[in-house]
Amino acid sequence: MPDKGVNEQNPAPETPESEGQESPKKKGLPKWAILAAVLLVQVAGSYYLQKTLIFGDPATAVEVKPEKQEKGKHAKEKKSETESEHLSTIMIEEIIVNPAETAGRRYLAISVGLLTEAPEAEKLFEDKKPLIRDALISLFSSKYLDQLSSIQYRDTLKEEVKVVVNKQFSDAPVKGVLFTGYVLQ
């Protein structure tokens, strides 16, 4: 005769002694060990990339053939020498404007160098400097913040500066534009 206090269908509740025992499941690596291994692999990979790609050793870098390197170097030097011999730079010092739709909370401080071939460029530009500054202030303040912060847009902006300044003269004396200072705050 079965025991009256024990029900065969419902086993006895677990006691605190049986809770402390491990289950027969297969136990894997602890989570902290897996995280440590992943972190170690990431650090090693970062170190490798930094050493090889970013701050590579010049001794291990692929060398360019000397003859091609010299030809390219001389051609660049000749080009820059001829450009610098014929071009003079007229500086338009720091123009400060608020970009469009910033409500005065942001500003652009920019210094512009105008490259010109005109031999009498200093006098030409000195006479028209207030008109040039006004045109540049209008141009820069009409630009939106996303345009001014885009590095790709700066080449377009240089061309726009060239066009705006050349409109102040009967001939087009400005051949190029340099941004010698560009602070967007």
Side-chain angles (χ1 to χ4, degrees):
M1 190 161 171
D3 210 5
K4 291 182 181 178
V6 176
N7 186 353
E8 290 181 26
Q9 292 177 346
N10 295 331
E14 290 187 33
T15 61
E17 298 164 359
S18 63
E19 286 179 12
Q21 296 175 356
E22 293 184 23
S23 64
K25 289 184 190 177
K26 184 177 179 183
K27 198 169 187 183
L29 288 174
K31 287 182 181 179
W32 63 267
I34 294 171
L35 290 175
V38 168
L39 182 64
L40 183 63
V41 168
Q42 287 180 343
V43 168
S46 298
Y47 178 78
Y48 173 76
L49 288 174
Q50 181 183 13
K51 284 296 189 182
T52 57
L53 298 178
I54 298 171
F55 301 112
D57 184 20
T60 61
V62 177
E63 293 184 23
V64 178
K65 292 182 180 178
E67 59 211 33
K68 288 184 180 179
Q69 183 181 14
E70 288 178 16
K71 286 180 185 177
K73 186 177 178 181
H74 290 302
K76 286 180 185 178
E77 285 177 2
K78 284 183 181 179
K79 185 177 179 182
S80 63
E81 284 176 10
T82 57
E83 286 177 1
S84 63
E85 287 177 13
H86 298 292
L87 295 178
S88 61
T89 305
I90 307 298
M91 293 302 300
I92 307 293
E93 295 301 322
E94 199 166 54
I95 297 172
I96 301 173
V97 296
N98 296 112
E101 296 184 5
T102 59
R105 291 176 294 205
R106 305 290 297 267
Y107 71 90
L108 170 70
I110 187 166
S111 296
V112 180
L114 304 171
L115 299 173
T116 181
E117 290 179 341
E120 66 284 344
E122 292 287 332
K123 183 163 180 1
L124 261 172
F125 282 90
E126 195 60 40
D127 294 341
K128 300 231 180 193
K129 199 167 192 172
L131 293 171
I132 293 170
R133 284 186 69 83
D134 179 60
L136 291 176
I137 289 170
S138 296
L139 174 69
F140 294 134
S141 62
S142 69
K143 300 300 175 189
Y144 293 97
L145 197 58
D146 60 336
Q147 291 174 315
L148 295 172
S149 62
S150 170
I151 293 174
Q152 293 83 11
Y153 186 74
R154 289 192 190 161
D155 289 332
T156 304
L157 190 58
K158 286 180 180 181
E159 285 301 313
E160 290 178 17
V161 167
K162 183 176 158 183
V163 168
V164 165
V165 173
N166 280 335
K167 282 184 181 178
Q168 305 301 319
F169 300 95
S170 56
D171 58 340
V174 177
K175 304 300 178 197
V177 176
L178 304 171
F179 292 147
T180 59
Y182 196 98
V183 176
L184 185 63
Q185 199 66 26

